[in-house]
Amino acid sequence: MNPVAGGSASPGGAGGPGPAGAGATERALDRTIGRVLQWGIGASIALLVVGVILMIAGGIDPLGPPPPPFDVAALGRGLRTVQPEAFLWLGLIVTIATPSLRVIASLVGFGRAGDRRMVLVSAGILTVIVASVALGSTVG
Amino acid sequence: MIAGLLMAVSGAGAGLFGSLLGLGGGILIVPLLTLGFGLPLREAVGVSLVSVIVTSSAAAGVYLERHVANLRLGMTLELFTATGALVGGLVAFALPDRVLAGLFALLLAYTAVIMLRRSLSRSSGSSPEASSIDGAAGAAVAGPTAEVGFVASLGGPTYRVLRFPFGIVGSIFAGLVSALLGVGGGIVKVPLMNLAMGVPLRVATATSNLMIGITASASAIVYFLRGGIDPYIAAPTAIGVFIGATAGSRLAHRVDVRVLRVLFIVVLAYTAWEMFTKALS
């Protein structure tokens, strides 16, 4: 799971002219966030693969009738009864949520480091995500 | 189920070529699904956004662990790309497919021209990328317009961030493009950071990958909640793109991409024409 061409480490922002002692903290944060992203995408791909295998087993044609609309209440039941749609929906949710998990991890990391401005930036991004959820479900 | 396998294989091809040529898969997935499988353009955009999140997040994870991406700069700019993407996601549902097809044709034509210029400059022996990296980074360190305060803290050990307000406007535009057309927007963000803001190309590329995830997810949420993402189509396509992009990153150093690039330019130009025709039909 490495869609990046090889190459040695090169400084991006860590160790830059940020707050004193930011270099080591940000390097640790880089590692933590990197793992959050890799684990999140690993989990989403695993769920999508299970869903596709179940699709194949069930003879579902992707260009045929669409699946039932997403329903939170039906998700748990679908997972228990091993329905392909449940694994696919959950895989999509984990995929879409993974970048937001990374922002939450950043908010916590910057908060621990006392970097208030980056905490505000992280909170601002999460506010936009919450607005997406609110506007996506209500407007239109 | 053959359609599902075809989607996975096509997605793998898009991910492979995108990875080898330094483009995201989105620019190929949308035309592939609309022209190849007859999907409505908005539905193809929703599927493409999912694929873009998968590949960019996986890549960004590796870039961060190698400390190549600039987390502070990426997060600050993605506040604006995400805002642009949210607006774009809402606007996309108000625009007719024909308008989206026309916009996509313009994006494809623009990308083809950029790639053609790169090919021509490489074949003539000069490397505008290399000079732009050094030039931009050098100016960033020594330039009189280097920013101060919070913006100064966004730079790296060998460069400073320039023209931050321009970066904000460009980021909002990149978010809009991503949400409307289902692409990562790296084609906007990388030149923006590298040429306008003085960020070295390698850092700009890695940071762009980091930003793409949250940008695409801000609009993907809107598509998802409005029933714009079909999981039967999104899953095989995203898995294929992921496998293709992973293979491409491993092959990148062993493949001579010159011929591939010329072929890709022809494909982009042809696809632009097809999309343009679709917009007019």
Side-chain angles (χ1 to χ4, degrees):
Chain A
M1 198 178 76
N2 178 2
V4 176
S8 58
S10 169
T25 308
E26 285 185 23
R27 281 179 169 270
L29 191 55
D30 278 358
R31 276 192 294 275
T32 305
I33 295 170
R35 281 180 203 143
V36 168
L37 287 173
Q38 290 184 341
W39 279 98
I41 294 305
S44 71
I45 288 289
L47 287 163
L48 293 176
V49 167
V50 172
V52 169
I53 290 170
L54 293 171
M55 262 176 76
I56 295 170
I60 293 171
D61 178 5
L63 295 176
F70 173 69
D71 177 9
V72 180
L75 190 63
R77 191 170 56 247
L79 290 171
R80 281 195 301 277
T81 54
V82 200
Q83 297 299 312
E85 297 82 18
F87 284 89
L88 296 174
W89 284 127
L90 188 59
L92 289 178
I93 290 169
V94 173
T95 303
I96 294 171
T98 294
S100 298
L101 290 177
R102 184 260 291 173
V103 178
I104 293 169
S106 306
L107 189 142
V108 173
F110 285 123
R112 281 185 183 159
D115 191 338
R116 284 185 201 164
R117 286 184 292 200
M118 287 310 294
V119 168
L120 279 177
V121 168
S122 308
I125 296 167
L126 290 174
T127 305
V128 175
I129 295 298
V130 171
S132 294
V133 175
L135 293 171
S137 24
T138 56
V139 180
Chain B
M1 195 53 229
I2 288 176
L5 289 175
L6 278 176
M7 281 171 191
V9 171
S10 308
L16 178 69
F17 281 98
S19 175
L20 286 175
L21 295 168
L23 293 166
I27 199 143
L28 290 172
I29 295 164
V30 173
L32 202 89
L33 290 175
T34 49
L35 303 174
F37 292 94
L39 254 67
L41 202 115
R42 200 174 294 105
E43 203 171 306
V45 167
V47 171
S48 178
L49 284 170
V50 171
S51 305
V52 160
I53 294 171
V54 168
T55 50
S56 68
S57 295
V62 178
Y63 279 131
L64 278 169
E65 288 202 324
R66 291 180 186 171
H67 310 297
V68 184
N70 183 334
L71 180 64
R72 295 170 70 86
L73 175 64
M75 290 193 65
T76 306
L77 290 181
E78 75 189 2
L79 179 58
F80 303 100
T81 59
T83 305
L86 168 57
V87 174
L90 296 171
V91 169
F93 280 83
L95 289 178
D97 254 27
R98 287 173 58 182
V99 175
L100 291 174
L103 291 173
F104 207 95
L106 286 176
L107 177 75
L108 287 164
Y110 168 75
T111 310
V113 169
I114 294 280
M115 291 194 77
L116 185 64
R117 284 178 59 186
R118 273 187 206 165
S119 291
L120 292 175
S121 59
R122 278 178 190 170
S123 61
S124 68
S126 67
S127 171
E129 279 180 7
S131 60
S132 69
I133 304 163
D134 297 342
V141 170
T145 57
E147 307 280 355
V148 293
F150 174 64
V151 177
S153 76
L154 302 178
T158 59
Y159 62 94
R160 288 188 186 280
V161 170
L162 300 174
R163 305 181 192 95
F164 186 68
F166 186 72
I168 290 175
V169 176
S171 295
I172 293 171
F173 176 70
L176 273 170
V177 170
S178 170
L180 286 174
L181 305 179
V183 297
I187 196 97
V188 176
K189 287 178 224 170
V190 174
L192 175 76
M193 281 188 275
N194 178 229
L195 300 175
M197 301 179 73
V199 178
L201 184 63
R202 192 154 182 251
V203 180
T205 306
T207 306
S208 168
N209 259 293
L210 177 74
M211 292 160 64
I212 284 169
I214 207 78
T215 310
S217 73
S219 52
I221 288 169
V222 177
Y223 280 83
F224 181 89
L225 291 172
R226 295 191 175 186
I229 300 177
D230 184 336
Y232 290 158
I233 296 169
T237 308
I239 292 167
V241 172
F242 178 74
I243 291 169
T246 305
S249 69
R250 292 181 196 283
L251 292 172
H253 295 295
R254 296 178 221 162
V255 177
D256 182 356
V257 294
R258 279 175 296 187
V259 177
L260 205 61
R261 188 176 289 119
V262 174
L263 177 71
F264 197 71
I265 291 167
V266 175
V267 171
L268 283 177
Y270 172 76
T271 315
W273 173 251
E274 286 289 315
M275 277 289 189
F276 187 64
T277 312
K278 191 178 168 68
L280 292 179
S281 65

